């Protein structure tokens, strides 16, 4: 056995030594046998390395090797926007981790492509819209969750960040699973914590287990596999139980939520050998939506609190506008949004200055193509650095400064900016963007209508440096909560 392992290792070593970057491929970090460029890709804050170092050293597009497979880091703002637009860059890599979370198959719509992806994404998007996903019909649920949270926080003068997870995901789960969980539900909170750890342990630029899957068996902790496996298994079990409960009470004449809709589609396709509608597929879609929703909204709201604590004059401007437009006798609603330009500008600036996903999920090149004069072979993995767009000095002027006014015109009205790509762009835009924006607006406006926040006496000034992972989050900080009279 030892001899076989040694022979296999030597063969792999010799094979990788013979692998070089493709001809006319962009310049980039050095490549080593077996692992390629992975040792030269930082495990933490890779977006800063890309923008501040690699772009100057190698240019706006950087050539990498993930093991023996070519990869492209797209850093320049114009190049990122171009890649989002071009169809040949819209595939997804077929990796160990993407299959491991999907029962060793290519399921869901987040990490798939081709006809399967088109069918599943189209079905999911159509029915989520029918169920009110991102529409005003869910406004009441969002307001209820915000109100429950407000009442809980009224009794805690000093509070640690991180309390938005359950109320935010409750809104999403109302559409997906038709249930609401108590903010103190231990099982539900435990699932969210597992998913949070899943995002914290991942590296958005590449994973050594995708290159050398056997490492998960030898060094499961060091490779981060054990943590991810626990979180994935927990999600699978939670969603499978929810699906089985729905199946037992399914009404053919009425659909309560997305699980019901999908179960009916599964029945319609029962007996078809090549159907893409399966229980494992539904579990993977729920994991896709749940994971993205839990992280993006909750972490963005934590960043909102962080930046308004650090900029009390901006906090006061937000509150002054809320007082003038909404007053104190009722809660803010989505109808108020057009009349609250400074509130919307502040939210948008938070999303810009510290994006939750500074690197997008990997794309894959679907056919041989060119970018900036370089040859990009089919199946090249593409890492798009959206942080490069959101921090481009030529476009934003002073991207390191927190300045909501950049999104207001000369008349004080809110201005959209096409470079705000936090929710993706092109065919890979985020399905949950509308719902996420509605939750962010109502939670943010309600929170600062009710409370003023500051740094507790004796506490250090919280840092805006993000925690690393598949997505980012602020480091834990405390706040002093004071009810506004």
């Amino acid at each position: 056995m030892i001899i076989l392992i040694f022979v296999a290792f030597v063969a792999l070593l010799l094979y990788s030594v013979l692998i070089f970057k493709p001809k006319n491929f962009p310049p980039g970090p050095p490549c080593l046998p077996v692992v390629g460029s992975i040792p030269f890709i930082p495990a933490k804050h890779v977006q800063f390395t890309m923008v501040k170092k690699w772009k100057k050293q190698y240019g706006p597009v950087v050539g990498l090797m993930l093991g023996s497979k070519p990869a492209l880091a797209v850093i320049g703002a114009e190049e990122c926007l171009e890649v989002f637009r071009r169809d040949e860059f819209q595939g997804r890599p077929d990796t160990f981790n993407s299959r491991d979370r999907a029962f060793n198959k290519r399921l869901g719509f987040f990490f798939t492509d081709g006809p399967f992806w088109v069918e599943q994404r189209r079905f999911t998007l159509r029915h989520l819209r029918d169920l009110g996903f991102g529409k005003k019909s869910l406004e009441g649920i969002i307001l209820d969750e915000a109100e429950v949270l407000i009442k809980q926080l009224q009794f805690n003068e000093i509070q640690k960040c991180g309390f938005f997870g359950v109320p935010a995901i409750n809104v999403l789960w109302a559409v997906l699973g038709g249930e609401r969980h108590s903010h103190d539900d231990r099982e539900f909170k435990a699932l969210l914590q597992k998913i949070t750890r899943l995002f914290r342990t991942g590296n958005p630029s590449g994973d050594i287990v995708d290159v050398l899957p056997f490492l998960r068996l030898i060094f499961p902790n060091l490779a981060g596999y054990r943590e991810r496996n626990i979180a994935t298994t927990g999600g699978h079990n939670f969603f499978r139980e929810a699906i089985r409960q729905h199946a037992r009470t399914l009404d053919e004449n009425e659909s309560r939520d997305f699980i019901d809709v999908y179960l009916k589609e599964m029945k319609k396709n029962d007996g078809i050998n090549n159907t893409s509608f399966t229980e494992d597929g539904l579990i993977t879609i729920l994991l896709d939506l749940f994971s993205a929703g839990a992280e993006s909204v909750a972490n963005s709201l934590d960043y909102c609190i962080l930046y308004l604590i650090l900029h009390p004059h901006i906090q006061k401007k937000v509150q002054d506008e809320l007082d003038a437009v909404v007053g104190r006798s009722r809660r803010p609603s989505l109808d108020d949004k057009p009349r609250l330009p400074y509130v919307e500008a502040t939210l948008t600036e938070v999303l810009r200055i510290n994006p939750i996903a500074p690197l997008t999920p990997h794309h894959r090149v679907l056919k041989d193509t060119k970018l900036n004069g370089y040859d990009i072979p089919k199946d090249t993995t593409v890492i798009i650095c959206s942080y490069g767009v959101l921090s481009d000095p030529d476009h934003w002027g002073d991207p390191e400064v927190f300045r909501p006014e950049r999104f207001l015109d000369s008349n004080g009205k809110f201005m959209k900016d096409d470079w705000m790509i936090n929710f993706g762009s092109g065919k890979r835009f985020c399905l949950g963007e509308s719902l996420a924006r509605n939750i962010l607006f109502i939670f943010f406006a309600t929170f600062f209508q009710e409370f003023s926040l500051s740094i507790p006496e004796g506490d250090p000034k919280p840092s805006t440096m993000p925690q690393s992972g598949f997505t980012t989050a602020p480091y834990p900080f405390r706040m002093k909560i004071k009810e506004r009279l």
Side-chain angles (χ1 to χ4, degrees):
M1 178 61 72
I2 295 176
I3 294 175
L4 288 175
I5 293 175
F6 177 76
V7 170
F9 178 78
V10 171
L12 181 62
L13 181 64
L14 291 174
Y15 172 74
S16 64
V17 168
L18 295 175
I19 296 296
F20 298 96
K21 287 183 180 180
K23 292 182 179 180
N24 193 33
F25 203 60
C31 294
L32 297 178
V34 181
V35 294
S37 307
I38 288 180
F40 303 97
I41 303 175
K44 295 183 178 181
H45 305 130
V46 65
Q47 70 272 24
F48 299 143
T49 297
M50 286 184 174
V51 170
K52 296 177 181 179
K53 183 179 178 182
W54 285 6
K55 187 179 178 183
K56 294 178 182 178
Q57 188 172 356
Y58 305 116
V61 291
V62 176
L64 305 166
M65 295 295 289
L66 302 180
S68 60
K69 298 178 180 179
L72 185 71
V74 185
I75 305 169
E78 296 287 354
E79 288 76 11
C80 288
L81 296 172
E82 179 181 349
V83 166
F84 275 127
R85 289 192 298 266
R86 290 171 56 179
D87 287 347
E88 66 266 35
F89 286 99
Q90 304 312 314
R92 289 288 197 214
D94 186 2
T95 66
F96 173 83
N97 276 314
S98 64
R99 283 181 174 266
D100 188 56
R101 70 191 295 278
F103 308 98
N104 200 32
K105 306 169 190 174
R106 298 202 77 190
L107 298 175
F109 59 81
F110 211 69
F111 296 106
T112 55
D113 53 31
F116 178 91
W117 170 70
V118 171
E119 182 178 35
Q120 291 295 307
R121 181 180 171 86
R122 186 176 294 158
F123 177 89
T124 301
L125 182 59
R126 181 174 73 250
H127 288 289
L128 288 179
R129 283 175 174 169
D130 291 344
L131 291 164
F133 208 64
K135 297 181 180 179
K136 275 185 62 61
S137 55
L138 287 178
E139 184 176 13
I141 296 174
I142 303 173
L143 286 166
D144 288 345
E145 288 296 329
E147 199 65 38
V148 171
L149 179 61
I150 291 296
K151 289 179 179 178
Q152 288 179 343
L153 295 175
Q154 285 173 338
F155 303 101
N156 298 278
E157 183 180 8
I158 303 297
Q159 180 71 46
K160 189 177 180 180
C161 71
F163 44 73
F164 288 111
V166 174
I169 207 66
N170 260 341
V171 180
L172 176 61
W173 193 236
V175 182
L176 300 180
E179 289 184 308
R180 181 191 179 276
H181 291 265
S182 166
H183 294 193
D184 298 321
D185 187 321
R186 291 185 178 181
E187 182 181 357
F188 201 60
K189 289 176 73 174
L191 176 63
L192 283 177
Q193 288 168 359
K194 288 177 182 177
I195 290 176
T196 297
R197 289 199 298 271
L198 172 66
F199 278 89
R200 294 285 74 72
T201 57
N203 187 338
S205 60
D207 197 311
I208 189 66
V209 171
D210 282 332
V211 177
L212 302 172
F214 67 86
L215 289 180
R216 77 190 191 282
L217 304 175
I218 304 173
F219 306 110
N221 290 325
L222 189 62
Y225 177 74
R226 186 187 299 278
E227 194 84 31
R228 290 195 292 276
N229 183 253
I230 290 172
T232 301
T233 302
H236 287 170
N237 293 339
F238 178 86
F239 296 129
R240 195 178 298 279
E241 178 58 29
I243 291 167
R244 300 276 167 90
Q245 288 180 3
H246 275 66
R248 288 192 289 268
T249 58
L250 189 65
D251 184 346
E252 294 295 339
N253 298 315
E254 184 179 356
S255 295
R256 297 163 292 187
D257 48 45
F258 181 74
I259 292 179
D260 276 1
V261 172
Y262 203 96
L263 285 172
K264 290 178 184 179
E265 191 68 21
M266 285 170 55
K267 281 192 172 185
K268 188 188 302 184
N269 286 267
D270 190 29
I272 301 176
N273 292 330
N274 61 346
T275 178
S276 65
F277 292 89
T278 63
E279 184 176 89
D280 285 352
L282 174 54
I283 290 172
T284 306
I285 286 176
L286 293 174
L287 185 61
D288 286 346
L289 292 167
F290 198 90
S291 301
E295 278 286 298
S296 61
V297 174
N299 291 353
S300 294
L301 287 167
D302 281 342
Y303 275 125
C304 287
I305 289 176
L306 173 62
Y307 277 95
L308 265 62
I309 284 176
L310 294 174
H311 299 86
H313 66 289
I314 293 177
Q315 182 177 164
K316 187 176 186 307
K317 285 184 179 181
V318 166
Q319 292 170 330
D320 287 346
E321 185 175 73
L322 285 166
D323 289 347
V325 174
V326 180
R328 296 304 213 30
S329 61
R330 66 175 179 86
R331 292 300 187 198
S333 71
L334 294 177
D335 288 336
D336 295 317
K337 186 185 286 191
R339 299 184 296 136
L340 293 168
Y342 196 81
V343 170
E344 190 166 5
T346 302
L347 258 174
T348 306
E349 178 69 344
V350 172
L351 296 178
R352 182 201 67 80
I353 198 168
N354 230 326
I356 298 301
L359 273 63
T360 69
H362 292 181
H363 288 221
R364 177 175 66 89
V365 177
L366 297 174
K367 64 179 182 180
D368 291 349
T369 189
K370 283 183 174 289
L371 182 65
N372 276 21
Y374 295 109
D375 293 326
I376 313 299
K378 179 183 177 182
D379 292 328
T380 296
T381 295
V382 182
I383 306 166
I384 305 174
C385 183
S386 54
Y387 177 74
V389 180
L390 299 169
S391 64
D392 183 74
D394 292 335
H395 183 78
W396 303 105
D398 53 354
E400 72 288 349
V401 176
F402 184 68
R403 187 168 59 84
E405 288 78 9
R406 72 176 77 248
F407 293 104
L408 299 175
D409 64 17
S410 58
N411 296 316
K413 293 184 178 181
F414 177 74
M415 295 188 303
K416 291 185 177 180
D417 193 303
D418 291 339
W419 285 42
M420 285 297 299
I421 56 169
N422 303 73
F423 293 92
S425 182
K427 291 184 176 180
R428 288 284 179 179
F429 76 90
C430 175
L431 291 182
E433 178 178 357
S434 295
L435 179 60
R437 289 190 182 279
N438 288 347
I439 297 173
L440 285 169
F441 176 80
I442 289 179
F443 272 63
F444 177 78
T446 302
F447 198 83
F448 284 100
Q449 179 196 46
E450 184 72 21
F451 299 123
S452 289
L453 305 180
S454 58
I455 302 171
E457 294 179 12
D459 277 19
K461 184 178 179 180
S463 172
T464 59
M465 177 63 70
Q467 295 186 65
S468 290
F470 281 121
T471 58
T472 70
Y475 282 96
F477 63 92
R478 299 198 312 159
M479 69 200 79
K480 183 177 180 180
I481 298 179
K482 182 179 179 181
E483 284 190 70
R484 299 180 67 220
L485 301 176

